[in-house]
Amino acid sequence: MTDESEPHISRRALLVGVAGAAAFGTAPLLVRRAEATPETMKAAIHRVIGESPVRQGKVTLDIPPLVENGNTIAMSVSVDSPMTEENYVKAIHVFNEKNPQPDIISVHLGPRAGKAAFSTRIRLADSQNVVAIAEMSDGSLWSDTAEVIVTIAACLEYN
């Protein structure tokens, strides 16, 4: 039972109205860049590793220095480790400076992994530094940093 006094708008009429408003610019779509900063990345790193000192070395972050499209960037990380019961990589964490989320990925490993390496594809909002940190079984932390120049940014936020 329906109330005849209530106005009824069909889905088609609504879609036509929205499309028309968008075509004439009366329904603006706001696009703004992510407002992340290098400080955001530092805070994310601090949440993961705390105050422990991080040394350069042992980690190789392989990512192209110049990419045309930030929507899909090939990246691989490897760590120089024998991956034995006594000496292995516990985790590899990757962070970025300017994406809406500073944590890209955390990969947890153990001595049975055999090799401390992984490959993936990521998105980058803009030209920025990417940092990979390896957490070793002895508690030491090692890192590598790569600067990536992005010509067409990804990770835009729509409002």
Side-chain angles (χ1 to χ4, degrees):
M1 189 164 156
T2 62
D3 184 3
E4 297 297 326
S5 64
E6 291 182 23
H8 176 71
I9 299 175
S10 71
R11 186 181 320 159
R12 179 173 292 164
L14 178 65
L15 291 174
V16 168
V18 170
F24 290 107
T26 57
L29 176 65
L30 300 176
V31 178
R32 64 182 165 96
R33 293 196 149 282
E35 296 175 5
T37 63
E39 289 75 31
T40 308
M41 180 180 71
K42 288 178 187 174
I45 291 172
H46 185 266
R47 277 193 310 274
V48 173
I49 65 168
E51 298 292 330
S52 302
V54 180
R55 295 180 273 186
Q56 287 289 116
K58 292 192 180 187
V59 178
T60 302
L61 174 59
D62 187 19
I63 188 168
L66 175 66
V67 294
E68 183 175 325
N69 187 341
N71 282 308
T72 178
I73 302 169
M75 175 192 78
S76 64
V77 182
S78 60
V79 182
D80 182 24
S81 171
M83 296 302 282
T84 64
E85 290 291 331
E86 300 80 33
N87 184 0
Y88 63 94
V89 177
K90 289 173 58 177
I92 302 170
H93 310 282
V94 183
F95 303 92
N96 65 82
E97 287 181 320
K98 298 180 182 175
N99 283 10
Q101 297 294 322
D103 310 81
I104 293 177
I105 190 170
S106 288
V107 176
H108 297 274
L109 304 167
R112 289 179 167 191
K115 187 175 180 183
F118 71 92
S119 296
T120 189
R121 293 194 177 273
I122 64 171
R123 296 176 71 176
L124 291 179
D126 202 356
S127 298
Q128 60 187 297
N129 287 322
V130 176
V131 177
I133 298 175
E135 183 181 347
M136 308 300 282
S137 58
D138 65 1
S140 65
L141 298 166
W142 298 86
S143 74
D144 190 18
T145 302
E147 182 180 2
V148 182
I149 298 171
V150 178
T151 58
I152 299 174
C155 301
L156 295 177
E157 185 175 316
Y158 297 94
N159 285 337

